[in-house]
């Protein structure tokens, strides 16, 4: 028997970016102080007939220092990326942009159907992701809907447009001004 309920995986907004991180707790995190306490306990309780190798201790200390450095670098990059995104969005004020216009499809997801050209009137930073407001429009557009700065051709256009009456004349493969059947030389 068919189930009338549809289940859609993922987000309902294809333009929404998400980041998943493991939550920090006592079981998956060790501080530098905790590391040195563990190392001291390991040295204190080692077998005196077979002591730890100095290179092994140095390797563990180097690994812990690398983990600390990577953690600091990751935090700095996240902060820098957020600031860069906000700076970029703020720089769009007064600029003419091409913004994707979306409609909800049958699965409840927003899909792009065209573009809108307008100047950026304001930028809202509340909520983490910059949201743009265009001149003459009351709708808020997330920065992820930005197609480009200036007038970018509509990448979502599906209809093939033709000029004039809708009929295209076939092109002459011989080129302009040459007869279709050249005279034979006999």
């Amino acid at each position: 028997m068919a189930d009338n309920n549809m289940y859609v995986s993922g987000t309902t907004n294809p333009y929404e970016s998400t980041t998943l991180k493991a939550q920090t707790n006592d079981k998956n995190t060790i501080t530098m102080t905790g590391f040195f306490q563990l190392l001291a306990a390991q040295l204190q309780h080692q077998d005196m007939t077979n002591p730890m190798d100095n290179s092994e201790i140095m390797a563990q200390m180097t690994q812990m220092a690398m983990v600390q450095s990577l953690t600091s670098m990751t935090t700095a990059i996240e902060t820098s990326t957020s600031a860069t995104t906000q700076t970029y969005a703020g720089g769009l004020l007064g600029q003419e942009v091409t913004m994707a216009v979306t409609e909800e499809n049958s699965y409840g997801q927003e899909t792009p159907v065209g573009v809108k050209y307008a100047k950026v009137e304001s930028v809202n930073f509340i909520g983490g992701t910059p949201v743009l407001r265009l001149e003459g429009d009351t709708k808020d557009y997330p920065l992820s809907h930005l197609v480009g700065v200036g007038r970018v051709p509509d990448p979502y256009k599906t209809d093939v447009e033709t000029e004039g009456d809708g009929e295209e004349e076939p092109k002459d493969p011989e080129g302009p001004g040459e007869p279709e059947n050249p005279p034979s030389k006999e």
Side-chain angles (χ1 to χ4, degrees):
M1 183 172 190
D3 187 8
N4 290 338
N5 295 329
M6 287 193 159
Y7 297 99
V8 178
S9 65
T11 180
T12 57
N13 182 354
Y15 299 103
E16 181 179 324
S17 60
T18 59
T19 305
L20 301 176
K21 283 198 253 183
Q23 294 295 318
T24 303
N25 62 39
D26 293 338
K27 292 181 181 179
N28 70 358
T29 306
I30 187 167
T31 62
M32 197 60 113
T33 305
F35 170 75
F36 282 119
Q37 287 174 344
L38 184 63
L39 184 61
Q42 189 177 8
L43 289 171
Q44 186 178 13
H45 294 82
Q46 68 180 328
D47 182 6
M48 288 300 160
T49 60
N50 186 16
M52 282 180 66
D53 188 15
N54 286 343
S55 61
E56 201 176 310
I57 295 171
M58 289 304 292
Q60 287 181 2
M61 290 177 71
T62 303
Q63 287 175 346
M64 187 59 185
M66 293 267 300
V67 167
Q68 289 292 103
S69 296
L70 287 173
T71 302
S72 298
M73 192 168 59
T74 301
T75 303
I77 287 172
E78 288 173 353
T79 303
S80 173
T81 301
S82 176
T84 302
T85 301
Q86 290 182 350
T87 302
Y88 177 72
L92 292 173
L93 279 171
Q95 298 288 323
E96 183 176 25
V97 295
T98 304
M99 194 64 65
V101 177
T102 62
E103 286 182 358
E104 196 171 292
N105 66 13
S106 59
Y107 297 107
Q109 298 172 326
E110 285 191 33
T111 57
V113 294
V115 297
K116 177 176 182 141
Y117 304 105
K119 285 188 177 181
V120 177
E121 184 176 82
S122 67
V123 181
N124 183 345
F125 296 109
I126 297 173
T129 303
V131 177
L132 308 175
R133 175 77 52 101
L134 304 178
E135 285 183 354
D137 194 350
T138 58
K139 183 178 177 185
D140 288 333
Y141 296 90
L143 185 61
S144 59
H145 282 70
L146 181 69
V147 175
V149 178
R151 288 188 172 259
V152 176
D154 186 349
Y156 310 112
K157 191 177 288 185
T158 55
D159 297 331
V160 177
E161 293 184 11
T162 56
E163 293 181 17
D165 61 359
E167 293 183 22
E168 195 173 311
E169 292 184 28
K171 293 182 180 176
D172 185 6
E174 302 284 329
E178 294 185 25
E180 286 185 30
N181 296 321
S184 61
K185 296 180 182 178
E186 290 183 25

